[in-house]
Amino acid sequence: MFAKIHAVAQQVSQIVVGKDHQIRQALVCLLAGGHLLIEDVPGVGKTTLAHALAISLGLRFNRLQFTSDLLPADVVGISVFDREKSGFVFHPGPVFTQVLLADEINRATPKTQSALLEAMEERQVTAEGVTRDLPEPFFVIATQNPAHQVGTFALPESQLDRFLMCLSLGYPDATAERALLMGEDRRTLLKSLAPLMQAAELIEARQALKLIHTSSALVDYVQALAHASRQNGLFAEGMSPRAAIALLQAARAWAALEGRNHVVPEDVQAVLVPVAAHRLRPLKAHTGSALGARDLVLQLMKSVAV
C-alpha cells in the first residue's frame, strides 16, 4: 500500500521537477486526511502539483478558479426551479467531489472563502436548510498568491487553521529549470498521467495510520511544542489543540512513509514547519524587525528539548 504512495511521489516528481521534498510533504498531508494549502508566487507549479496529485491518487476532482466576483453558491451549489417537477431542484456545486482544487483561493472575498469552512471541517455542506454529505475521501487543495500581491484577500485564522499543512514550492534550481525549459509542456504531460491508486486504497492507508505507535514521551514532546508556542512571546497566539492533533497525525504519516511503525521526534520535526507556520502570527521582535513565521517555528523547535 505504501509502496504505491511512493510510486505516486515518483510519478508526480516527473511533472513537478526538483521538488521531491515538497511532493513528499503534500502526500503526507493527504495521507493524514488533511487539506493542503500551497502558497507561492504565480508560475512555480502550484496548480500543476495539485492536478498531478489528484490524478495519480485516482481521485475525482474539480478545479474552481477563485475570483473577486465568485459567490458562495458558485462553490456549494444552487436550487433551480424545475417546471416538470413543479419544484426546486438542487444542483450541486464543484465542492461535491473528492478533490477540490481551489485555485488562487485568496483572490475571492471573505464571504466566498467562508463557503468552504463547513466543508473542510465537517465534510458536509448545508445549503438552503438541507445538509448534504460530501464524498469520501474529501480534500481541498488550495493555492494562494502572496498577500502583498494586488487583488488578494488574506485568509482568516479560522480558515488557515483548517489546512493541515501549508507548503511553499519556491523557484526551481538551475537543473530543474533547464528541464522545464527543454522538456514538454506540463499541461501536455498531465494528460499522460495514469492513476496509480484508488480512493478505497487511500482510505485504507489512512486507517492504517492508527496502527502507528506514539509513545507517551512522544506525546509529551508535541505538548511541549504547543505550550512553548503559547508562552515564548514569539507569536500573537499559540498553537491550538487542533494544530497539535494535526502535528501528531502528520508525524504518523511521515513515519509510515519512512517505513516505521512508530513515531520518533525526527518525524515531528520533519512536519512541524508546514503544519504550524501558517497557523502562527509572529510578533515583532524588540529590534523592530519581524522574522517570518517559518524562521520562528524553527527557533521554537530548537528551544524545546527532545
Side-chain angles (χ1 to χ4, degrees):
M1 185 188 306
F2 291 103
K4 287 189 176 182
I5 296 177
H6 285 288
V8 168
Q10 186 176 3
Q11 177 168 276
V12 175
S13 67
Q14 296 173 0
I15 305 296
V16 185
V17 294
K19 301 298 176 184
D20 294 348
H21 186 68
Q22 289 90 335
I23 292 170
R24 187 183 183 88
Q25 289 178 326
L27 283 171
V28 163
C29 179
L30 300 184
L31 181 60
H35 306 293
L36 176 64
L37 179 63
I38 308 173
E39 180 183 21
D40 219 317
V41 296
V44 295
K46 303 186 300 295
T47 303
T48 302
L49 173 60
H51 269 284
L53 285 171
I55 295 173
S56 300
L57 291 170
L59 301 175
R60 302 193 314 273
F61 75 98
N62 290 328
R63 177 186 180 275
L64 183 59
Q65 179 65 51
F66 278 64
T67 57
S68 58
D69 59 348
L70 195 73
L71 299 175
D74 297 325
V75 180
V76 301
I78 191 171
S79 292
V80 178
F81 186 78
D82 190 323
R83 289 186 177 181
E84 295 182 359
K85 297 182 179 180
S86 299
F88 286 90
V89 176
F90 181 74
H91 292 258
V95 74
F96 286 88
T97 186
Q98 290 176 323
V99 174
L100 176 66
L101 172 53
D103 216 358
E104 297 184 301
I105 188 173
N106 61 335
R107 291 196 177 277
T109 61
K111 182 177 181 179
T112 302
Q113 292 176 13
S114 66
L116 286 175
L117 291 177
E118 182 185 12
M120 294 175 69
E121 182 64 19
E122 281 87 22
R123 264 69 171 180
Q124 65 184 27
V125 168
T126 302
E128 300 171 355
V130 179
T131 299
R132 298 173 175 87
D133 292 330
L134 293 171
E136 181 70 20
F138 171 74
F139 302 109
V140 173
I141 302 179
T143 70
Q144 74 167 355
N145 298 325
H148 65 267
Q149 293 195 343
V150 176
T152 58
F153 299 86
L155 296 181
E157 286 81 356
S158 59
Q159 183 97 50
L160 289 172
D161 198 39
R162 282 167 167 78
F163 287 102
L164 190 145
M165 296 175 73
C166 177
L167 307 180
S168 178
L169 294 181
Y171 293 112
D173 58 29
T175 303
E177 189 168 26
R178 187 170 185 84
L180 291 171
L181 294 173
M182 300 294 292
E184 289 188 58
D185 184 85
R186 300 296 108 176
R187 288 169 293 186
T188 303
L189 291 176
L190 279 173
K191 296 178 181 179
S192 66
L193 291 183
L196 299 180
M197 293 186 68
Q198 297 179 356
E201 292 177 309
L202 182 58
I203 294 174
E204 187 179 352
R206 286 170 50 185
Q207 294 297 324
L209 292 185
K210 297 178 181 179
L211 304 177
I212 304 296
H213 177 66
T214 52
S215 65
S216 59
L218 192 283
V219 175
D220 289 342
Y221 179 53
V222 172
Q223 280 193 293
L225 288 168
H227 291 164
S229 70
R230 302 163 189 165
Q231 300 171 358
N232 60 10
L234 295 175
F235 307 102
E237 299 93 14
M239 291 171 58
S240 66
R242 175 161 50 189
I245 294 171
L247 178 59
L248 192 58
Q249 185 70 354
R252 286 194 184 100
W254 189 273
L257 289 187
E258 289 289 319
R260 289 194 303 273
N261 61 359
H262 62 282
V263 183
V264 296
E266 287 76 11
D267 299 322
V268 177
Q269 295 169 356
V271 298
L272 177 60
V273 171
V275 169
H278 66 287
R279 292 177 160 95
L280 300 175
R281 182 162 53 90
L283 287 175
K284 288 190 175 181
H286 296 296
T287 59
S289 63
L291 292 173
R294 289 181 173 86
D295 293 330
L296 291 180
V297 170
L298 291 174
Q299 185 175 329
L300 167 70
M301 183 175 67
K302 295 178 181 177
S303 69
V304 177
V306 177

